[in-house]
Amino acid sequence: MFSFGKKTVIGLDIGSSQVKAVELEPHGSNFRLRGFGFALLPPEAIVQGSFMNAPAISAAISEACAMGGFKSKDVVTSVSGHSVIVKRITLPAQSKEELEESIRWEAEQYIPFDINEVNLDHQILRESGVDGQMDVLLVAAKKDLIDDYVSVITEAGLSLLVMDVDAFAVGNMYQHNYQPSDDTTVALLDLGASVINMNVMSGSVPVFTRDITSGGNQYTEEIQKTLGISFEEAERIKVGGRPGEASKDVVPQEVEESMREVSETMLAEIQRSLDFYRATATSSRLERLLLCGGAARVPGLERIFHDRLEIPVEIANPFQRVDIASSAGDEEMIRELGPSLCTAIGLGMRRGDDT
């Protein structure tokens, strides 16, 4: 399924609250994590996907890569949000050459931006069937967004090799680690700090993607407001820690209540997206939900999702078929951070000579 080239790349996940970077190397028929690094971003360095503090982002990239001790200088990263459009479209059956010539015109019907302001890509999902139609995945990203990424990566002394989409990177991680059969349909939810990326996969094919403007920072902000503590302390409580020695005994009930309210609001958005998927899909059966991202570690979230959505829910493990080398650092810590590394791991699986 994967062609393992010799050249490694840096899988770089630039989130709104921190930068995560990994370097994977071939290991038999699987991968091994040989390096891992991360760095926090200052508040509002990235706002609604826009780079507001480019020097700080470049510095964080450099810090994460220095921590990882990477051999490579080539980066694979990904984008999401309102400047990225992903559409599954059905077109009359045609050759790949004909599609290359017509895709720009076809895209104009689906892209809510000036076609000259975006970079386009596409992938054939289903070749010509008995209906004389073909399914094509169309992706468009605004050029100024891509330019921002190129700028901060170049400033960090690195080279952008491949630009992917967040949801597809998580799908790549899932495909390798879970080896899904063609008749398995799973919803992947990447719960980031400010955006939730949803990707419904039928086997190894993405059939529905959506970005939801919500995320883990809402938990942190509610805890911070309720207890009157710093953002950093609130982050520790969010994932099951304690704010400090004086508050070590219990997490106050009002904090649990505010976190539950955030979960309910988040779930309502996710439910709407899943309902839309079910209404438009030819087969709407979902076997399970996999939670990725930093907010997947919020205590009790797995159970709340299961109770509301009434489908099996589990936290994704990006290390099911990825070994962790001693050079990567503290294995226990890396495994604990696993859900938040799903995007970076999926990006790191791209080969430098398979682009």
Side-chain angles (χ1 to χ4, degrees), residues 302-322:
E302 193 177 352
R303 176 184 53 78
I304 294 171
F305 274 48
H306 176 269
D307 291 347
R308 169 66 73 86
L309 301 175
E310 298 182 334
I311 56 175
V313 179
E314 64 181 270
I315 296 175
N317 176 13
F319 297 112
Q320 284 198 160
R321 291 169 57 86
V322 176

Side-chain angles (χ1 to χ4, degrees), residues 35-199:
F36 158 68
F38 71 95
L40 298 179
L41 288 170
E44 300 188 345
I46 300 177
V47 178
Q48 295 182 345
S50 297
F51 288 9
M52 310 302 291
N53 188 344
I57 299 168
S58 289
I61 293 170
S62 296
E63 183 182 340
C65 291
M67 176 181 171
F70 303 137
K71 295 178 181 177
S72 179
K73 294 290 185 183
D74 292 326
V75 167
V76 177
T77 192
S78 56
V79 293
S80 64
H82 61 271
S83 293
V84 181
I85 303 297
V86 178
K87 292 277 187 183
R88 182 185 176 117
I89 62 177
T90 301
L91 301 173
Q94 54 197 285
S95 68
K96 291 181 180 179
E97 292 74 22
E98 289 171 326
L99 182 61
E100 287 284 349
E101 293 180 5
S102 67
I103 193 65
R104 185 178 175 85
W105 178 83
E106 296 286 357
E108 286 189 287
Q109 304 173 64
Y110 299 97
I111 305 303
F113 310 126
D114 183 333
I115 200 70
N116 296 310
E117 296 179 354
V118 300
N119 286 339
L120 285 174
D121 201 358
H122 66 277
Q123 182 174 345
I124 298 172
L125 299 177
R126 180 178 65 94
E127 301 276 4
S128 175
V130 293
D131 56 357
Q133 302 287 301
M134 66 193 301
D135 291 335
V136 176
L137 191 67
L138 179 67
V139 182
K142 295 196 76 171
K143 289 179 179 178
D144 55 3
L145 175 68
I146 305 301
D147 290 344
D148 284 346
Y149 276 78
V150 172
S151 177
V152 296
I153 288 167
T154 303
E155 188 64 29
L158 304 169
S159 174
L160 179 60
L161 193 67
V162 178
M163 178 64 79
D164 208 333
V165 173
D166 288 355
F168 297 161
V170 174
N172 200 28
M173 177 283 302
Y174 163 72
Q175 184 182 352
H176 178 75
N177 280 284
Y178 290 82
Q179 305 282 291
S181 59
D182 290 342
D183 60 351
T184 299
T185 303
V186 171
L188 308 174
L189 279 183
D190 185 13
L191 309 173
S194 59
V195 176
I196 297 172
N197 306 124
M198 176 184 291
N199 185 8

Side-chain angles (χ1 to χ4, degrees), residues 286-305:
L286 276 178
E287 294 190 9
R288 60 179 163 164
L289 192 69
L290 278 181
L291 302 181
C292 310
R297 298 164 59 213
V298 169
L301 193 63
E302 193 177 352
R303 176 184 53 78
I304 294 171
F305 274 48

Side-chain angles (χ1 to χ4, degrees), residues 195-210:
V195 176
I196 297 172
N197 306 124
M198 176 184 291
N199 185 8
V200 179
M201 302 277 291
S202 177
S204 59
V205 178
V207 294
F208 178 81
T209 61
R210 175 164 288 190

Side-chain angles (χ1 to χ4, degrees), residues 233 242-250:
E233 288 180 304
R242 296 289 182 266
E245 291 302 318
S247 306
K248 194 173 181 179
D249 293 333
V250 293

